[in-house]
Amino acid sequence: MKRVALIGMPNTGKSTFFNRVTGASARVGNWPGITVDLLTAKILLGGDMVELVDLPGIYDVHGFSDDERVVRQLLETAPIDLVAIVLNAVQVDRQLALAIEVARLGLPSVLLLNMADEAKQFGIRIDTAKMAELLGMPVTLVSAKYGHGQPEAMAAMARALATSVPASTDAIRSRLAEVDRIENDAASVIGAAVDIPERLPAHVSDRIDAVLLHPWLGIPIFFLLMFLVFQGVFHLGEPMQQGLNRVFEWFKGAALVPLFAGLPVLLSGFLLDGVYGGLVTVAAFVPLIVLFFLFMAVVEDSGYLSRAAFLTDALMSRLGLDGRGFVMMLLGFGCNVPAAMGTRIMRSRPLRLLTMLVIPVSLCSARLQVFMFLAGAIFTVQQAPWVIFSLYLASFGAAILTALVFRRSYRSDEPFVIELPPYRLPTARQIGLRAWQEVRHFLHRATKFIVIGVVLIWLLTHLPSSVPPGSAGTLAGMLGHAFEPLLSPLGIDQQLTLALIFGFIAKEVMIGAFAVIFGLEGQALATHLHASFDWVQAYSFMLFTLIYTPCLSTIATLRAESNSNRFALVSLAWGLALAWGVSLAFYQTMRHFGY
Amino acid sequence: MTPLLDLRPGDAATVAAIHADAGLRQRLAALGFRIGRRVELIREGAFSGPLHVRLGTTDVILRRKQAAQIDVKR
């Protein structure tokens, strides 16, 4: 099968183009360098199936950053039949050098000038025929966001592929060495074929930036925006969650209870209270997760993340981090795993490691579910969003503390120079695709971990069968008892301890675990929790859950990305110690003042 | 010649010299910092935060330390 590679600079919409062509789901982020894994898909091109590879965004092929090294290694080792170079038509004056570099390597290429719609708004006219003649490769204008020019681009790729003679990887390796004169060549082609107005019309981005990047208002506006997002998620998601709970309860009463009536009590209890109870308690959170990722996708694709990096770099530099680290924390609000992988854009190892130490305290969407559930059960509807917001602030606080403790051990002097993309209005399709991908990821994780988790918890709370379920005589009771001296000073009792132990695997298991441990689900579970725990206990438990460890996947990712067992252990031990200290301080202080 | 750092918001100047190691020089070049290019300082971050500059149609943010490594001619 022939192989087609997509190459382009960060922020050119390369991944958007890939998504549109493959109909699949590469992650799209308006943030330089977010595409870190190699995505491939098989597509039909000119009557043949070809393999399309989406390479990381790169500035050139010299290989100074990890991403550039990845691309260079691929070009030097894997035969490629066609390279589709994706450039931003608005910035073609400085990006064209990449196309010439690739052509110089002897790789059969086509040039796709993306964001043709934006270029048109800027008054930039590109003579594609002239440019194709000068470059010696087909050139087409596309707008991946709206799908304009896609058929033409596909046709050009198919034509080029039919006649392509791939260069040998040896030849490419030798030519990679001689790519110096490229920038001069780019300048002469630009001079001949591109007409850029001297002064660009005042763009909307400037007016938005005047407010959002305001020296004094910028940071408060940032927090206000985040608060509005979480308010929106909570107030829109809460009724949907209640509705789903009622549906699940009705289904249980109407269909499952009669269906399992003939089974032995132990088995029907296992299926109803164990597997079904655990699964639906988690499933009720799907609308919340969808909403959360819809909002995140808007923020991420709009170009605001780079602004957040600008606003926070002054603080972050004092913590030994940089603005990109802050953005990784924000991405960690979705899931810590891609955030940890995103640190690959940093070249200095100490900076990368320090950023990776900070990421695990980011309040990810899985932890958000636990907090939504507990806040909804323990606090009033008016208080709950503030409780959630305070936990986000605690997440930032824990990150700052972590960086302060470790910044001397991981000193770095990496320059901070990044591009600030113009604001873009994400299309509904882009956002929908992103949100759907996240939901699929969530459901996959949730079902995988939860089924195993709830089954284990059910067994622990019901064995041996000679003692009452959930009592001190069960395996779970013994386990909780063993941890009691350590966790009772934090107000965390034996049942909550069990939920924490399973939350270690994945936070999605925790709510399922509550359902199984207490043998209740939905509103009944919330009512029971409200009666069993006061707010100081609940908040102490939430603080501990926030900090002690993200999940097994994150720890595995930290190990893989740092290539160090020691680093993964340091991160794990620090999280446990910090969680214990913070919860203890909170719980004892509150109790001391009589709450 | 003055360092880029000394420009005030709204000032424009021409890149005259870049004092940086090969890695940083290359990254700067890829973002448009080349001798002879016009560069405009758009804004400065609060609390000694980064600078926001514009080169042609590209906006770049960079720390003051890196801005001190770039000389410009008014």
Side-chain angles (χ1 to χ4, degrees):
Chain A
M1 189 181 299
K2 291 193 172 178
R3 187 182 284 136
V4 179
L6 278 184
I7 282 188
M9 295 197 186
N11 264 308
T12 51
K14 193 169 54 64
S15 300
T16 312
F17 181 77
F18 181 85
N19 281 344
R20 189 169 272 284
V21 169
T22 61
S25 47
R27 221 178 138 81
V28 184
N30 192 1
W31 170 255
I34 196 71
T35 318
V36 280
D37 278 329
L38 292 187
L39 291 162
T40 64
K42 294 188 177 48
I43 59 163
L44 195 64
L45 195 63
D48 293 314
M49 289 302 282
V50 301
E51 187 187 24
L52 188 64
V53 190
D54 186 22
L55 298 183
I58 53 166
Y59 288 105
D60 55 54
V61 287
H62 299 300
F64 281 97
S65 74
D66 281 0
D67 281 345
E68 282 156 9
R69 223 165 287 143
V70 165
V71 171
R72 187 165 178 146
Q73 275 167 2
L74 189 101
L75 294 179
E76 286 177 346
T77 50
I80 289 174
D81 300 283
L82 181 69
V83 177
I85 307 157
V86 184
L87 300 183
N88 181 344
V90 181
Q91 299 171 347
V92 65
D93 53 333
R94 70 167 176 79
Q95 298 199 343
L96 195 66
L98 181 65
I100 298 176
E101 278 190 22
V102 173
R104 253 325 129 71
L105 297 178
L107 290 161
S109 319
V110 295
L111 175 57
L112 310 178
L113 295 172
N114 191 20
M115 307 194 186
D117 50 315
E118 268 183 36
K120 206 169 154 190
Q121 281 172 14
F122 272 118
I124 297 171
R125 285 191 305 276
I126 299 176
D127 181 347
T128 51
K130 182 87 177 171
M131 188 180 268
E133 182 197 321
L134 291 169
L135 288 174
M137 68 173 85
V139 179
T140 56
L141 291 172
V142 294
S143 166
K145 192 157 87 173
Y146 301 106
H148 301 156
Q150 191 191 338
E152 292 81 359
M154 299 294 280
M157 283 162 69
R159 273 197 303 277
L161 198 58
T163 59
S164 89
V165 185
S168 77
T169 49
D170 286 338
I172 289 171
R173 202 168 302 139
S174 71
R175 282 174 199 148
L176 268 169
E178 29 152 321
V179 280
D180 285 337
R181 283 177 35 239
I182 280 165
E183 288 187 356
N184 295 335
D185 291 1
S188 63
V189 174
I190 289 295
V194 183
D195 173 23
I196 300 176
E198 195 59 64
R199 295 188 67 89
L200 292 164
H203 205 262
V204 192
S205 279
D206 281 352
R207 266 172 276 163
I208 303 176
D209 275 341
V211 180
L212 294 187
L213 297 186
H214 189 275
W216 303 108
L217 297 177
I219 297 263
I221 290 176
F222 168 80
F223 279 103
L224 183 70
L225 285 175
M226 295 307 278
F227 181 68
L228 289 178
V229 165
F230 300 124
Q231 281 273 357
V233 170
F234 193 86
H235 285 294
L236 293 172
E238 167 91 59
M240 292 194 243
Q241 186 198 345
Q242 307 268 345
L244 265 184
N245 267 330
R246 276 194 290 276
V247 172
F248 289 140
E249 237 154 278
W250 168 83
F251 183 73
K252 181 181 171 183
L256 294 181
V257 171
L259 185 68
F260 296 151
L263 295 177
V265 178
L266 197 68
L267 185 60
S268 77
F270 168 71
L271 289 173
L272 278 177
D273 300 329
V275 178
Y276 185 75
L279 270 181
V280 298
T281 309
V282 181
F285 280 91
V286 170
L288 273 175
I289 297 301
V290 175
L291 277 173
F292 177 78
F293 279 109
L294 276 177
F295 282 117
M296 280 295 278
V298 174
V299 172
E300 215 179 309
D301 290 347
S302 69
Y304 187 56
L305 285 186
S306 300
R307 269 79 187 174
F310 175 83
L311 289 171
T312 54
D313 187 63
L315 169 70
M316 298 301 275
S317 71
R318 287 166 178 81
L319 299 174
L321 295 161
D322 69 22
R324 293 174 300 179
F326 188 82
V327 171
M328 292 307 151
M329 270 204 75
L330 290 184
L331 292 181
F333 284 174
C335 175
N336 290 181
V337 171
M341 283 164 46
T343 60
R344 287 181 199 171
I345 56 170
M346 298 168 183
R347 272 182 273 177
S348 131
R349 181 169 165 85
L351 178 64
R352 246 194 104 179
L353 292 181
L354 188 59
T355 310
M356 284 201 280
L357 271 178
V358 163
I359 286 171
V361 295
S362 273
L363 198 169
C364 66
S365 59
R367 273 169 274 191
L368 179 64
Q369 292 169 60
V370 180
F371 300 153
M372 288 277 196
F373 183 74
L374 285 176
I378 308 280
F379 296 91
T380 66
V381 182
Q382 285 75 35
Q383 290 167 334
W386 289 98
V387 170
I388 303 285
F389 190 63
S390 75
L391 287 164
Y392 277 102
L393 295 184
S395 171
F396 282 123
I400 290 173
L401 194 62
T402 303
L404 284 177
V405 167
F406 287 97
R407 69 176 165 176
R408 268 174 250 292
S409 316
Y410 298 96
R411 272 178 199 282
S412 65
D413 194 25
E414 174 148 330
F416 177 68
V417 183
I418 63 168
E419 187 184 334
L420 204 60
Y423 287 104
R424 297 189 181 118
L425 275 179
T427 62
R429 186 175 184 279
Q430 255 174 357
I431 293 174
L433 211 60
R434 252 306 292 290
W436 163 238
Q437 184 198 353
E438 297 291 352
V439 170
R440 207 173 46 179
H441 172 77
F442 163 74
L443 287 178
H444 172 76
R445 249 174 82 86
T447 47
K448 189 171 76 181
F449 289 124
I450 283 164
V451 173
I452 301 170
V454 296
V455 166
L456 275 176
I457 294 165
W458 194 89
L459 291 176
L460 285 178
T461 47
H462 287 73
L463 293 179
S465 55
S466 52
V467 296
S471 69
T474 60
L475 293 173
M478 293 184 234
L479 203 56
H481 187 70
F483 280 93
E484 191 165 13
L486 202 57
L487 293 179
S488 66
L490 317 184
I492 296 174
D493 73 357
Q494 297 189 8
Q495 288 166 314
L496 294 180
T497 300
L498 197 62
L500 282 176
I501 292 171
F502 282 89
F504 208 86
I505 304 165
K507 296 294 165 293
E508 289 92 341
V509 184
M510 277 180 109
I511 329 171
F514 285 133
V516 177
I517 292 168
F518 297 107
L520 297 164
E521 68 221 42
Q523 196 49 50
L525 177 57
T527 312
H528 180 81
L529 289 175
H530 185 76
S532 311
F533 302 103
D534 68 13
W535 75 269
V536 179
Q537 263 180 308
Y539 200 83
S540 170
F541 175 77
M542 288 195 269
L543 282 174
F544 196 87
T545 304
L546 168 66
I547 303 170
Y548 80 120
T549 191
C551 64
L552 274 186
S553 312
T554 302
I555 296 168
T557 306
L558 292 182
R559 206 215 72 81
E561 292 295 317
S562 66
N563 198 16
S564 157
N565 286 323
R566 194 180 154 270
F567 177 78
L569 277 176
V570 167
S571 167
L572 183 59
W574 167 251
L576 288 169
L578 183 65
W580 194 80
V582 168
S583 292
L584 181 76
F586 172 81
Y587 186 75
Q588 294 301 338
T589 309
M590 284 301 160
R591 286 290 187 247
H592 179 76
F593 287 107
Y595 284 102
Chain B
M1 289 226 291
T2 53
L4 174 60
L5 185 59
D6 290 350
L7 293 185
R8 326 208 86 238
D11 287 356
T14 307
V15 177
I18 296 171
H19 314 283
D21 62 44
L24 176 58
R25 177 185 291 270
Q26 182 127 25
R27 175 73 23 135
L28 288 169
L31 288 167
F33 282 98
R34 289 186 216 125
I35 313 293
R37 282 292 295 271
R38 289 296 279 177
V39 55
E40 183 189 352
L41 182 66
I42 306 292
R43 61 169 56 80
E44 296 171 328
F47 308 106
S48 308
L51 307 184
H52 173 186
V53 301
R54 181 164 296 161
L55 299 117
T57 52
T58 306
D59 282 20
V60 173
I61 55 181
L62 74 169
R63 277 199 184 151
R64 286 165 200 246
K65 190 169 174 195
Q66 276 76 55
Q69 292 170 267
I70 299 168
D71 283 337
V72 295
K73 263 201 297 271
R74 285 176 203 249

